[in-house]
Amino acid sequence: MDIKKICAALCACVVCLCAAGCSKDSKDSSSATESKSNVSTADSAKSEDSKGDESDADSKVLNEQGELITKTAAIFNGDYTLKTTCTEADGSKQEVVRAKKGGNIYLKVTSDIGTSGFIYVDGAGYDYDNVTGVYHKSDVTELDGVLESIVKQNLPRTYGHINSDEADDFDIEEYTYTGDTYITAIDLYFDKSDGSLKKYTQTFTIEGSDDTVSEYTVDELSGEADDSLFDVSQATSLVDFDSMSEDQRLGYCQGIFNKAGVTTDDLSAGGYQTDDLKTISYDSFVSIVYTYGYKSAQQ
């Protein structure tokens, strides 16, 4: 579901490193979370020996990960709570809360139009969406965010994208993920005094498109989680989307689309006809509402 990609940031799998973090476009894809080309040019005034030294240093760096990300990512090996505020280039914001206690997992994303989430308790997982009023069972059993994904994939530390203007205020570590048609640069900003993570940015360069930048401010990162978060009723008190008959699903979808202002033209633009709503998946239904619905709230 799009909610897992939003968490970029957060999200339910390592694709958070190569999809659009918490942008509205990332909601549109059943869903993450995450640039300018990572190319640095040597100063032509430097000597050949100097260039050679830099080349050796770069070669060494590319096989290493920073001490600060390694230390911070270790928090996620146990219980934790991470609260972030995601800000888009257009100024829109989302609040994201991710927590784990024992084997239980909690994720909640609050946007301009409402809340969505994922909860996994005692071996059962559920995606839920308060905007559309539905939930369904999920096969997901763990969520990896940006930091864990970088460490698990052993992404190389890079230096071609760091904002030098902020280097006086933060210790910055940069990591780059390169796909076939996209590049994701992740810049992590740590407090110079205690090494705590203060924010991170994800810059997506997709071939043929403008760069997309998402900035996450870390509001809280702690090694504990409140028991009250892991209440499955916040999901199961909604309508079970998968239990509906085809006619029930058609009627329910039409009712939500009418409330959200989703038109038949919007459906067509998304590749759907009315009859398709009888068998539409949970992910696709929620994605249509986030993509085309509540337009005034998302402007």
Side-chain angles (χ1 to χ4, degrees), residues 274-296:
T274 299
D275 279 351
D276 295 329
L277 301 181
K278 294 179 178 180
T279 56
I280 194 171
S281 69
Y282 170 91
D283 289 347
S284 296
F285 168 55
V286 173
S287 181
I288 287 173
V289 173
Y290 275 81
T291 303
Y292 301 106
Y294 300 100
K295 295 179 178 63
S296 61

Side-chain angles (χ1 to χ4, degrees), residues 22-23 41 88 97 115 131 142 159 166 169 196 204 230-231 262:
C22 68
S23 67
T41 303
E88 297 285 6
V97 180
T115 60
V131 175
E142 62 180 290
Y159 293 86
E166 299 202 70
D169 299 322
S196 60
F204 310 86
F230 306 97
D231 178 4
V262 178

